[in-house]
Coordinates of all heavy atoms in Angstrom, one line a residue:
M1 N -30.0 -1.8 29.2 CA -29.0 -2.2 30.1 C -29.6 -2.4 31.5 O -30.4 -1.5 31.9 CB -27.9 -1.2 30.1 CG -26.6 -1.6 30.9 SD -26.5 -1.0 32.6 CE -26.7 0.8 32.4
L2 N -29.2 -3.4 32.2 CA -29.7 -3.7 33.5 C -28.5 -4.0 34.4 O -27.7 -4.9 34.1 CB -30.7 -4.9 33.5 CG -31.3 -5.3 34.8 CD1 -32.2 -4.2 35.3 CD2 -32.1 -6.6 34.6
R3 N -28.4 -3.3 35.5 CA -27.4 -3.6 36.5 C -27.9 -4.7 37.4 O -29.0 -4.6 37.9 CB -27.1 -2.3 37.3 CG -25.9 -2.4 38.3 CD -24.7 -2.2 37.5 NE -23.6 -1.9 38.4 CZ -22.6 -2.7 38.6 NH1 -22.5 -3.8 38.0 NH2 -21.6 -2.3 39.4
V4 N -27.1 -5.7 37.6 CA -27.5 -6.9 38.4 C -26.4 -7.2 39.5 O -25.3 -6.8 39.3 CB -27.7 -8.2 37.5 CG1 -28.9 -8.0 36.6 CG2 -26.5 -8.5 36.8
P5 N -26.8 -7.9 40.6 CA -25.8 -8.2 41.6 C -24.7 -9.1 40.9 O -25.0 -10.0 40.1 CB -26.6 -9.0 42.6 CG -28.0 -8.7 42.3 CD -28.1 -8.3 40.9
V6 N -23.5 -8.9 41.3 CA -22.4 -9.7 40.8 C -22.2 -11.0 41.7 O -21.5 -10.9 42.8 CB -21.1 -8.9 40.8 CG1 -19.9 -9.8 40.2 CG2 -21.2 -7.7 39.9
T7 N -22.8 -12.0 41.3 CA -22.7 -13.3 42.1 C -22.0 -14.4 41.2 O -21.7 -15.4 41.7 CB -24.1 -13.8 42.5 OG1 -24.9 -14.0 41.3 CG2 -24.7 -12.8 43.5
R8 N -21.8 -14.0 39.9 CA -21.2 -14.9 39.0 C -20.9 -14.0 37.8 O -21.3 -12.9 37.7 CB -22.0 -16.1 38.6 CG -23.4 -15.6 37.9 CD -24.2 -16.8 37.6 NE -25.2 -17.0 38.6 CZ -26.1 -17.9 38.6 NH1 -26.2 -18.7 37.6 NH2 -27.0 -18.1 39.6
S9 N -20.2 -14.5 36.8 CA -19.9 -13.7 35.6 C -21.2 -13.4 34.8 O -22.2 -14.1 35.0 CB -18.9 -14.4 34.7 OG -19.6 -15.5 33.9
D10 N -21.2 -12.3 34.1 CA -22.4 -11.9 33.3 C -22.7 -13.0 32.3 O -23.9 -13.3 32.1 CB -22.1 -10.6 32.6 CG -22.0 -9.4 33.5 OD1 -22.3 -9.6 34.7 OD2 -21.6 -8.4 33.0
E11 N -21.7 -13.7 31.8 CA -21.9 -14.7 30.8 C -22.6 -15.9 31.4 O -23.5 -16.5 30.9 CB -20.6 -15.1 30.1 CG -20.8 -16.1 29.0 CD -19.6 -16.2 28.1 OE1 -18.7 -15.4 28.2 OE2 -19.7 -17.2 27.3
E12 N -22.1 -16.3 32.6 CA -22.8 -17.4 33.4 C -24.2 -17.1 33.7 O -25.1 -17.9 33.6 CB -22.0 -17.7 34.6 CG -20.7 -18.4 34.4 CD -19.9 -18.5 35.8 OE1 -19.8 -17.5 36.5 OE2 -19.5 -19.6 36.0
L13 N -24.5 -15.9 34.1 CA -25.9 -15.5 34.4 C -26.7 -15.5 33.1 O -27.8 -16.0 33.2 CB -25.9 -14.1 35.0 CG -27.3 -13.5 35.4 CD1 -28.0 -14.5 36.3 CD2 -27.1 -12.2 36.0
A14 N -26.2 -15.0 32.0 CA -27.0 -15.0 30.8 C -27.3 -16.4 30.4 O -28.4 -16.7 29.9 CB -26.2 -14.3 29.7
L15 N -26.3 -17.3 30.5 CA -26.5 -18.7 30.1 C -27.5 -19.4 31.0 O -28.4 -20.2 30.6 CB -25.2 -19.5 30.1 CG -24.3 -19.2 28.9 CD1 -22.9 -19.8 29.1 CD2 -24.9 -19.6 27.6
T16 N -27.4 -19.1 32.3 CA -28.4 -19.7 33.3 C -29.8 -19.2 33.0 O -30.7 -20.0 33.0 CB -28.0 -19.3 34.7 OG1 -26.7 -19.8 35.0 CG2 -29.0 -19.8 35.7
L17 N -30.0 -17.9 32.6 CA -31.3 -17.4 32.3 C -31.8 -18.1 31.0 O -33.0 -18.4 31.0 CB -31.2 -15.9 32.1 CG -31.2 -15.1 33.3 CD1 -30.7 -13.6 33.0 CD2 -32.5 -15.1 34.0
L18 N -31.0 -18.3 30.1 CA -31.4 -19.0 28.8 C -31.8 -20.4 29.1 O -32.9 -20.9 28.6 CB -30.3 -18.9 27.8 CG -30.6 -19.5 26.4 CD1 -31.7 -18.8 25.8 CD2 -29.3 -19.4 25.5
V19 N -31.0 -21.2 29.8 CA -31.2 -22.6 30.0 C -32.4 -22.8 31.0 O -33.2 -23.7 30.7 CB -29.9 -23.3 30.5 CG1 -30.2 -24.7 30.9 CG2 -28.9 -23.2 29.4
T20 N -32.4 -22.1 32.1 CA -33.4 -22.4 33.1 C -34.7 -21.6 33.0 O -35.7 -22.0 33.5 CB -32.9 -22.2 34.5 OG1 -32.6 -20.8 34.7 CG2 -31.6 -23.0 34.7
R21 N -34.7 -20.4 32.3 CA -35.9 -19.6 32.2 C -36.3 -19.2 30.8 O -37.3 -18.5 30.6 CB -35.6 -18.3 33.0 CG -35.1 -18.4 34.4 CD -36.2 -18.9 35.3 NE -35.7 -19.1 36.7 CZ -36.2 -18.4 37.7 NH1 -37.2 -17.6 37.6 NH2 -35.7 -18.7 39.0
N22 N -35.5 -19.7 29.8 CA -35.8 -19.4 28.4 C -35.8 -17.9 28.2 O -36.6 -17.4 27.4 CB -37.1 -20.0 28.0 CG -37.2 -20.1 26.5 OD1 -36.2 -20.3 25.8 ND2 -38.4 -20.1 25.9
V23 N -34.9 -17.1 28.9 CA -34.8 -15.7 28.7 C -33.4 -15.4 28.1 O -32.4 -15.8 28.6 CB -34.9 -15.0 30.1 CG1 -34.6 -13.5 30.0 CG2 -36.3 -15.2 30.7
Y24 N -33.5 -14.7 27.0 CA -32.2 -14.4 26.2 C -31.8 -13.0 26.5 O -32.6 -12.0 26.1 CB -32.5 -14.7 24.7 CG -31.2 -14.4 23.9 CD1 -30.1 -15.2 24.0 CD2 -31.2 -13.4 23.0 CE1 -29.0 -15.1 23.2 CE2 -30.1 -13.2 22.2 CZ -29.0 -14.0 22.4 OH -27.9 -13.8 21.6
V25 N -30.6 -12.8 27.1 CA -30.0 -11.5 27.3 C -28.6 -11.6 26.9 O -28.0 -12.6 26.6 CB -30.1 -11.1 28.8 CG1 -31.5 -10.9 29.3 CG2 -29.4 -12.1 29.7
H26 N -28.0 -10.4 26.7 CA -26.5 -10.3 26.4 C -25.7 -10.0 27.6 O -26.1 -9.1 28.4 CB -26.3 -9.3 25.3 CG -27.1 -9.5 24.1 ND1 -26.7 -10.4 23.1 CD2 -28.2 -9.0 23.6 CE1 -27.5 -10.4 22.1 NE2 -28.5 -9.6 22.4
P27 N -24.6 -10.7 27.8 CA -23.7 -10.3 28.9 C -23.1 -8.9 28.6 O -22.8 -8.6 27.5 CB -22.7 -11.4 29.0 CG -22.7 -12.0 27.6 CD -24.1 -11.8 27.1
G28 N -22.9 -8.1 29.7 CA -22.3 -6.8 29.5 C -21.0 -6.7 28.8 O -20.8 -5.8 28.0
H29 N -20.2 -7.7 29.0 CA -18.9 -7.7 28.3 C -19.0 -7.7 26.8 O -18.1 -7.2 26.1 CB -17.9 -8.8 28.8 CG -18.3 -10.2 28.3 ND1 -18.0 -10.6 27.0 CD2 -19.0 -11.2 28.9 CE1 -18.5 -11.9 26.9 NE2 -19.1 -12.2 28.0
S30 N -20.1 -8.1 26.2 CA -20.3 -8.1 24.8 C -20.4 -6.6 24.3 O -20.3 -6.4 23.1 CB -21.6 -8.8 24.4 OG -21.5 -10.2 24.7
F31 N -20.7 -5.7 25.2 CA -20.8 -4.3 24.9 C -19.7 -3.4 25.5 O -19.9 -2.2 25.7 CB -22.2 -3.8 25.3 CG -23.3 -4.4 24.4 CD1 -23.8 -5.7 24.8 CD2 -23.8 -3.8 23.3 CE1 -24.8 -6.3 24.0 CE2 -24.7 -4.4 22.5 CZ -25.2 -5.6 22.8
D32 N -18.7 -4.1 26.0 CA -17.5 -3.5 26.5 C -17.8 -2.7 27.9 O -17.1 -1.7 28.2 CB -16.9 -2.5 25.5 CG -16.3 -3.2 24.3 OD1 -15.8 -4.3 24.5 OD2 -16.3 -2.6 23.2
F33 N -18.7 -3.2 28.6 CA -18.8 -2.7 30.0 C -17.6 -3.0 30.8 O -17.0 -4.1 30.6 CB -20.1 -3.2 30.7 CG -21.3 -2.6 30.2 CD1 -22.1 -3.2 29.2 CD2 -21.8 -1.4 30.7 CE1 -23.3 -2.6 28.8 CE2 -22.9 -0.8 30.3 CZ -23.7 -1.4 29.3
P34 N -17.1 -2.1 31.6 CA -15.8 -2.3 32.3 C -15.8 -3.3 33.4 O -14.7 -3.7 33.8 CB -15.5 -0.9 32.8 CG -16.9 -0.3 33.1 CD -17.7 -0.9 32.0
A35 N -16.9 -3.8 33.8 CA -16.9 -4.7 35.0 C -18.1 -5.7 34.8 O -19.0 -5.5 34.0 CB -17.0 -4.0 36.3
E36 N -18.1 -6.7 35.7 CA -19.3 -7.6 35.7 C -20.5 -6.9 36.4 O -20.3 -5.9 37.0 CB -18.9 -8.9 36.6 CG -17.8 -9.7 36.0 CD -18.1 -10.4 34.7 OE1 -19.3 -10.7 34.5 OE2 -17.2 -10.8 34.0
G37 N -21.7 -7.5 36.2 CA -22.8 -6.9 36.8 C -23.8 -6.2 35.9 O -24.6 -5.4 36.3
Y38 N -23.6 -6.5 34.6 CA -24.5 -5.8 33.6 C -25.0 -6.8 32.6 O -24.3 -7.7 32.1 CB -23.7 -4.8 32.7 CG -23.2 -3.6 33.5 CD1 -21.9 -3.6 34.1 CD2 -24.0 -2.5 33.7 CE1 -21.5 -2.5 34.8 CE2 -23.5 -1.4 34.4 CZ -22.3 -1.4 35.0 OH -21.8 -0.4 35.7
L39 N -26.3 -6.7 32.3 CA -27.0 -7.5 31.3 C -27.6 -6.5 30.3 O -28.0 -5.4 30.7 CB -28.1 -8.4 31.8 CG -27.7 -9.5 32.8 CD1 -28.9 -10.2 33.3 CD2 -26.7 -10.4 32.1
V40 N -27.6 -6.8 29.0 CA -28.2 -6.0 28.0 C -29.5 -6.6 27.6 O -29.4 -7.8 27.1 CB -27.2 -5.7 26.9 CG1 -27.9 -4.8 25.8 CG2 -25.9 -5.0 27.4
L41 N -30.6 -5.9 27.6 CA -31.9 -6.4 27.2 C -32.3 -5.8 25.9 O -31.9 -4.7 25.6 CB -32.9 -6.1 28.3 CG -32.5 -6.3 29.8 CD1 -33.7 -5.9 30.7 CD2 -32.2 -7.8 30.0
S42 N -33.1 -6.5 25.2 CA -33.6 -6.0 23.9 C -35.0 -5.5 24.1 O -35.9 -6.1 24.8 CB -33.7 -7.2 22.9 OG -34.3 -6.7 21.7
L43 N -35.3 -4.4 23.4 CA -36.6 -3.8 23.5 C -37.5 -4.2 22.3 O -38.6 -3.7 22.1 CB -36.5 -2.3 23.5 CG -35.8 -1.7 24.8 CD1 -35.7 -0.2 24.6 CD2 -36.5 -2.1 26.0
I44 N -37.0 -5.2 21.6 CA -37.7 -5.7 20.4 C -39.0 -6.5 20.8 O -40.0 -6.5 20.2 CB -36.8 -6.5 19.5 CG1 -35.8 -5.6 18.9 CG2 -37.6 -7.2 18.4 CD1 -34.7 -6.3 18.1
A45 N -38.8 -7.2 21.9 CA -39.9 -8.1 22.4 C -41.1 -7.2 22.8 O -41.0 -6.0 23.1 CB -39.5 -8.8 23.7
G46 N -42.3 -7.8 22.7 CA -43.5 -7.1 23.1 C -43.5 -6.8 24.6 O -42.7 -7.4 25.4
K47 N -44.4 -6.0 25.0 CA -44.5 -5.5 26.4 C -44.6 -6.7 27.4 O -43.9 -6.8 28.4 CB -45.6 -4.6 26.6 CG -45.7 -4.0 28.0 CD -46.9 -3.1 28.1 CE -47.2 -2.7 29.6 NZ -48.4 -1.9 29.7
D48 N -45.5 -7.6 27.1 CA -45.8 -8.8 27.9 C -44.5 -9.7 28.0 O -44.2 -10.1 29.1 CB -47.0 -9.6 27.5 CG -48.3 -8.8 27.7 OD1 -48.3 -7.8 28.5 OD2 -49.3 -9.2 27.0
Q49 N -43.9 -9.9 26.9 CA -42.7 -10.8 26.9 C -41.5 -10.1 27.7 O -40.8 -10.7 28.4 CB -42.2 -11.1 25.5 CG -43.1 -12.1 24.7 CD -42.5 -12.3 23.3 OE1 -42.3 -11.3 22.6 NE2 -42.4 -13.5 23.0
F50 N -41.4 -8.8 27.5 CA -40.3 -8.1 28.1 C -40.6 -8.1 29.7 O -39.6 -8.4 30.4 CB -40.3 -6.6 27.7 CG -39.2 -5.8 28.2 CD1 -37.9 -5.9 27.7 CD2 -39.4 -5.0 29.3 CE1 -36.9 -5.1 28.2 CE2 -38.3 -4.3 29.9 CZ -37.1 -4.3 29.3
T51 N -41.8 -7.8 30.1 CA -42.1 -7.9 31.5 C -41.9 -9.3 32.1 O -41.3 -9.4 33.2 CB -43.6 -7.5 31.7 OG1 -43.8 -6.2 31.1 CG2 -44.0 -7.5 33.2
E52 N -42.3 -10.3 31.4 CA -42.0 -11.7 31.9 C -40.5 -12.0 32.0 O -40.1 -12.6 33.0 CB -42.7 -12.6 30.9 CG -42.6 -14.1 31.3 CD -43.5 -14.5 32.4 OE1 -44.3 -13.7 32.8 OE2 -43.4 -15.7 32.8
G53 N -39.8 -11.5 31.0 CA -38.3 -11.8 31.1 C -37.7 -11.1 32.2 O -36.9 -11.6 32.9
V54 N -38.1 -9.8 32.5 CA -37.5 -9.1 33.6 C -37.9 -9.7 34.9 O -37.1 -9.8 35.9 CB -37.9 -7.6 33.5 CG1 -37.6 -6.8 34.8 CG2 -37.3 -6.9 32.3
R55 N -39.1 -10.2 35.0 CA -39.6 -10.9 36.2 C -38.7 -12.1 36.5 O -38.3 -12.4 37.6 CB -41.0 -11.4 36.0 CG -41.6 -12.0 37.3 CD -43.1 -12.4 37.1 NE -43.2 -13.5 36.1 CZ -43.0 -14.7 36.3 NH1 -42.5 -15.2 37.4 NH2 -43.2 -15.6 35.3
H56 N -38.4 -12.9 35.4 CA -37.5 -14.0 35.6 C -36.1 -13.6 36.1 O -35.5 -14.3 36.9 CB -37.4 -14.8 34.3 CG -38.6 -15.7 34.0 ND1 -38.9 -16.8 34.8 CD2 -39.5 -15.6 33.0 CE1 -40.0 -17.3 34.3 NE2 -40.4 -16.6 33.2
I57 N -35.6 -12.5 35.5 CA -34.3 -12.0 35.9 C -34.3 -11.6 37.4 O -33.4 -12.0 38.1 CB -33.8 -10.8 35.0 CG1 -33.6 -11.3 33.6 CG2 -32.6 -10.2 35.6 CD1 -33.5 -10.1 32.6
L58 N -35.3 -10.9 37.8 CA -35.4 -10.5 39.2 C -35.6 -11.7 40.1 O -34.9 -11.7 41.2 CB -36.6 -9.5 39.4 CG -36.5 -8.2 38.7 CD1 -37.8 -7.4 38.8 CD2 -35.3 -7.4 39.3
E59 N -36.4 -12.7 39.7 CA -36.5 -13.9 40.6 C -35.2 -14.6 40.7 O -34.8 -15.0 41.8 CB -37.5 -14.8 39.9 CG -38.9 -14.4 40.1 CD -39.9 -15.3 39.4 OE1 -39.5 -16.3 38.7 OE2 -41.1 -15.1 39.5
L60 N -34.5 -14.8 39.6 CA -33.2 -15.5 39.7 C -32.1 -14.8 40.5 O -31.5 -15.4 41.3 CB -32.7 -15.8 38.3 CG -31.4 -16.6 38.2 CD1 -31.7 -18.1 38.7 CD2 -30.9 -16.7 36.8
T61 N -32.0 -13.5 40.3 CA -31.0 -12.7 41.0 C -31.4 -12.5 42.4 O -30.5 -12.5 43.3 CB -30.7 -11.4 40.3 OG1 -31.9 -10.6 40.2 CG2 -30.1 -11.6 38.9
S62 N -32.6 -12.5 42.8 CA -33.0 -12.3 44.2 C -32.8 -13.6 45.0 O -32.6 -13.5 46.2 CB -34.5 -11.8 44.3 OG -35.4 -12.9 43.9
Q63 N -32.8 -14.7 44.3 CA -32.5 -16.0 45.0 C -31.1 -16.1 45.5 O -30.8 -16.9 46.3 CB -32.8 -17.2 44.1 CG -34.2 -17.3 43.7 CD -34.4 -18.4 42.7 OE1 -33.5 -19.0 42.2 NE2 -35.7 -18.7 42.3
Q64 N -30.2 -15.2 45.0 CA -28.8 -15.3 45.3 C -28.4 -14.5 46.5 O -27.3 -14.4 46.9 CB -28.0 -14.9 44.1 CG -28.6 -15.6 42.9 CD -27.7 -15.7 41.8 OE1 -26.6 -15.2 41.8 NE2 -28.1 -16.4 40.8
W65 N -29.4 -13.8 47.1 CA -29.1 -12.9 48.2 C -29.7 -13.6 49.5 O -30.7 -14.1 49.5 CB -29.8 -11.6 48.1 CG -29.2 -10.8 47.0 CD1 -29.6 -10.7 45.7 CD2 -28.0 -9.9 47.1 NE1 -28.8 -9.9 45.0 CE2 -27.8 -9.4 45.8 CE3 -27.2 -9.6 48.1 CZ2 -26.8 -8.6 45.5 CZ3 -26.1 -8.7 47.8 CH2 -25.9 -8.2 46.5
T66 N -28.9 -13.5 50.6 CA -29.4 -13.9 51.9 C -29.6 -12.7 52.8 O -28.7 -11.9 52.9 CB -28.4 -14.8 52.5 OG1 -28.1 -15.9 51.7 CG2 -28.9 -15.4 53.8
I67 N -30.8 -12.6 53.3 CA -31.1 -11.4 54.2 C -31.1 -11.9 55.6 O -31.7 -12.9 56.0 CB -32.5 -10.9 53.8 CG1 -32.6 -10.4 52.4 CG2 -32.9 -9.8 54.8 CD1 -34.0 -10.0 51.9
F68 N -30.3 -11.2 56.4 CA -30.1 -11.5 57.8 C -31.0 -10.6 58.7 O -31.2 -9.5 58.4 CB -28.7 -11.4 58.2 CG -27.8 -12.3 57.5 CD1 -27.1 -11.9 56.4 CD2 -27.6 -13.6 58.0 CE1 -26.2 -12.8 55.7 CE2 -26.8 -14.5 57.3 CZ -26.1 -14.1 56.2

């Protein structure tokens, strides 16, 4: 489970990751999380694939923040 900034629904974020980054995650609502801001990751992938996927998630979610 990964807590992410709520800038859109978890489902929209999961689909964006799949389409734009080829990263497959599950939206939190699929696991009955009570609010937006959760993605569920699989540990089945190898270490390198998992690391690469998390890197893509961090890149995508960090692009949505504006630092003043």
Side-chain angles (χ1 to χ4, degrees):
M1 187 263 303
L2 180 66
R3 187 80 161 112
V4 294
V6 180
T7 57
R8 60 181 97 180
S9 75
D10 293 348
E11 188 164 347
E12 288 175 309
L13 179 55
L15 287 172
T16 299
L17 284 164
L18 182 60
V19 171
T20 66
R21 307 287 179 122
N22 200 32
V23 173
Y24 182 67
V25 297
H26 300 280
H29 71 79
S30 297
F31 293 84
D32 294 326
F33 282 96
E36 298 290 337
Y38 294 93
L39 296 177
V40 178
L41 313 179
S42 172
L43 298 176
I44 294 173
K47 180 182 174 184
D48 292 341
Q49 286 179 312
F50 185 84
T51 301
E52 180 78 5
V54 170
R55 184 179 63 77
H56 283 294
I57 293 168
L58 292 173
E59 285 176 358
L60 184 66
T61 57
S62 69
Q63 291 174 356
Q64 312 201 359
W65 292 94
T66 303
I67 300 174
F68 295 97

